[in-house]
Amino acid sequence: MVIDLPANWQEQLRNIDWAAVKEKVADYGPALTVVKETWNRETLAEISQGNLFVTDEMMNEAIAKNIKADGPAKSVVLKSHENGRLDICVDTAKIGKVELSGQVKEFVHEGDKSYMVYRVRERNIPNHGLMSWIFSRVSLGMAQRMVGKVDISEDLPIKIKGNTVTVDYSKALAESDFGKTEFRGHRMLDMIEIQGATVKEGGIMFKTKLNVPDDVKEALKALVVKQEGKGKA
């Protein structure tokens, strides 16, 4: 049975010494190494509380790592505003700067369903090929703090209709380290949900849900006890 992580568990999560996890619980090593590399204690606590704030700086850093020197753009920079607008400034190799302003209408991850919908305001979307390249990196850059590094697939499904862009990043996520990892037979992909995103000044607040199966919760509790026992020794 999959259950929500109780609120009083957040303090226990902070007691997990991720650096010692692999040595202390060898059977869980591979899965917990992915967990440790994806979430720090603060991130996991925020996800369990249902709201994770990801700053522009974090997203821009993630996007920059997915831009190659021979790509169509030299940089993609996001800027979030209190009025709900998300600006995207792209420095392209051929046509100079392209600036877009719009709203994140949906940002969802639930099991095998992972997608983003962005609506451009005040202009039609130019150059669909370039936009596909841009939004593939934007969507995965936004998700990285929750699901870890995801390699950009050149065939990422993207639909552009009028001034609305829909990015389906489920395949790329499934092929990532996080997507391929199981913990005691449960997929990591099923343990976290992203139910929406609200653009605020300086970053985006993601509405999240952490689903932890009973046996995984007991395993993590055992880890907490081990680490607390170590601290008292």
Side-chain angles (χ1 to χ4, degrees):
M1 179 178 70
V2 176
I3 61 173
D4 292 338
L5 192 66
N8 62 6
W9 235 68
Q10 292 155 13
E11 184 58 36
Q12 290 179 294
L13 286 171
R14 295 189 178 93
N15 292 327
I16 297 176
D17 181 358
W18 295 116
V21 159
K22 192 170 183 178
E23 296 177 8
K24 288 292 182 182
V25 192
D27 290 345
Y28 304 150
L32 290 177
T33 295
V34 172
V35 172
K36 179 167 68 76
E37 291 174 350
T38 304
W39 300 324
N40 58 31
R41 284 171 290 182
E42 292 75 18
T43 298
L44 190 55
E46 286 183 60
I47 291 172
S48 71
Q49 291 170 349
N51 291 290
L52 178 67
F53 187 70
V54 182
T55 66
D56 290 345
E57 182 180 3
M58 292 175 181
M59 293 185 288
N60 289 330
E61 182 180 351
I63 293 169
K65 290 178 179 177
N66 275 307
I67 296 178
K68 297 178 181 179
D70 59 352
K74 294 179 282 186
S75 68
V76 178
V77 177
L78 306 182
K79 185 173 178 58
S80 306
H81 300 279
E82 186 61 39
N83 64 1
R85 289 288 188 95
L86 177 66
D87 296 343
I88 304 173
C89 182
V90 186
D91 188 1
T92 71
K94 292 185 177 180
I95 59 175
K97 286 191 176 181
V98 175
E99 296 183 348
L100 302 171
S101 183
Q103 295 172 302
V104 179
K105 304 301 292 184
E106 296 182 68
F107 200 102
V108 172
H109 164 66
E110 183 180 357
D112 295 320
K113 181 174 65 176
S114 310
Y115 66 91
M116 178 189 80
V117 179
Y118 179 88
R119 182 174 297 166
V120 177
R121 298 293 185 184
E122 299 171 358
R123 64 175 299 174
N124 293 324
I125 297 175
N127 193 326
H128 284 202
L130 176 62
M131 291 302 106
S132 294
W133 184 93
I134 292 168
F135 281 101
S136 64
R137 282 147 184 84
V138 168
S139 61
L140 295 179
M142 290 168 64
Q144 185 162 310
R145 191 177 175 204
M146 288 162 281
V147 298
K149 185 180 184 300
V150 181
D151 291 329
I152 300 293
S153 171
E154 296 305 322
D155 62 348
L156 199 68
I158 296 177
K159 181 172 69 174
I160 299 176
K161 185 175 182 181
N163 65 345
T164 300
V165 182
T166 302
V167 183
D168 181 348
Y169 63 94
S170 55
K171 180 181 177 182
L173 180 52
E175 293 175 350
S176 69
D177 288 344
F178 185 86
K180 292 184 287 189
T181 297
E182 293 186 354
F183 186 67
R184 300 198 65 169
H186 303 282
R187 298 193 316 164
M188 297 295 296
L189 280 178
D190 296 328
M191 295 188 197
I192 182 173
E193 294 180 18
I194 306 172
Q195 301 174 324
T198 302
V199 177
K200 296 181 174 293
E201 186 68 31
I204 299 178
M205 182 70 78
F206 291 89
K207 184 179 180 182
T208 59
K209 184 178 180 182
L210 192 62
N211 297 315
V212 182
D214 288 342
D215 55 342
V216 173
K217 186 176 70 171
E218 292 306 313
L220 289 174
K221 279 184 178 179
L223 268 178
V224 173
V225 171
K226 283 179 180 290
Q227 297 308 323
E228 289 178 340
K230 177 184 175 183
K232 294 176 182 177

